[in-house]
């Protein structure tokens, strides 16, 4: 069987639940679910702060894919900008990769009431542009830019 072939059924992978406590983190509740995975509000028990923890929805069996994910996470972790979420850690549980980031309070752009005043739209657009410009200066390309991924 090739290394990237699944060993369980899709239903088994969908039924997987992350542990409520692992390492220094405690999961509090799910914030959202998308095609790539689920995001939880977590608590960093060591540093006593809220964090967002995203688990990929599928087991990553392909070594090259795992390395690409970790390379991208390392590149994004080097970004320090007020309009870019800070990455604290990446890891793996039961073959599922996860990423721990700062928790940003607020609403995603797709949940904001529309239409909105042009001044608000301009302010949001400038903030997004500044964050993306910093990422691009550092060689980081965001591959999933959409209103649901911007807070």
């Amino acid at each position: 069987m090739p290394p990237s072939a699944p060993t369980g059924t899709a239903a088994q992978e969908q039924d997987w639940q992350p542990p409520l406590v692992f390492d220094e983190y405690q999961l509090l509740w799910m914030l959202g679910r998308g095609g790539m995975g689920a995001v939880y509000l977590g608590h960093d028990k060591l540093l006593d702060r809220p964090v967002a923890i995203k688990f990929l929805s599928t087991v990553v069996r392909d070594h090259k894919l795992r390395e690409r994910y970790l390379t991208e996470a390392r590149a994004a972790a080097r970004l320090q900008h007020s309009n870019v979420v800070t990455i604290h850690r990446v890891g793996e549980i039961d073959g599922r990769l996860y990423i721990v980031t700062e928790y940003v309070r607020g609403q995603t752009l797709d949940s904001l009431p529309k239409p909105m005043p042009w001044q608000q739209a301009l302010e949001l657009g400038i903030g997004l542009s500044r964050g993306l410009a910093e990422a691009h200066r550092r060689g980081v390309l965001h591959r999933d830019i959409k209103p649901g991924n911007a807070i």
Side-chain angles (χ1 to χ4, degrees), residues 24-144:
E24 67 268 25
Y25 303 106
Q26 177 181 0
L27 297 185
L28 301 176
W29 58 79
M30 184 184 294
L31 295 171
R33 181 181 298 276
M36 291 294 293
V39 180
Y40 293 82
L41 175 63
H43 180 74
D44 181 330
K45 298 183 297 179
L46 184 63
L47 297 175
D48 192 25
R49 64 181 175 186
V51 292
I53 305 171
K54 179 177 184 175
F55 290 90
L56 294 186
S57 58
T58 58
V59 174
V60 178
R61 293 177 178 84
D62 184 300
H63 179 71
K64 288 181 182 180
L65 183 60
R66 177 180 281 109
E67 282 305 309
R68 189 178 86 199
Y69 178 83
L70 293 174
T71 298
E72 290 177 4
R74 286 182 193 110
R78 289 191 293 269
L79 296 175
Q80 298 289 316
H81 193 274
S82 61
N83 297 102
V84 177
V85 68
T86 300
I87 296 176
H88 298 308
R89 179 178 182 176
V90 294
E92 185 175 341
I93 295 176
D94 297 336
R96 294 173 197 281
L97 298 172
Y98 67 87
I99 187 165
V100 180
T101 67
E102 75 176 296
Y103 172 63
V104 178
R105 286 174 173 77
Q107 294 179 277
T108 59
L109 289 185
D110 63 351
S111 67
L112 293 176
K114 293 163 201 72
M116 66 177 61
W118 70 266
Q119 298 91 336
Q120 182 183 7
L122 178 62
E123 183 180 331
L124 291 170
I126 288 171
L128 287 168
S129 298
R130 286 181 175 154
L132 288 170
E134 177 62 17
H136 291 176
R137 277 192 290 276
R138 301 288 189 122
V140 176
L141 180 64
H142 194 301
R143 296 183 186 193
D144 196 17

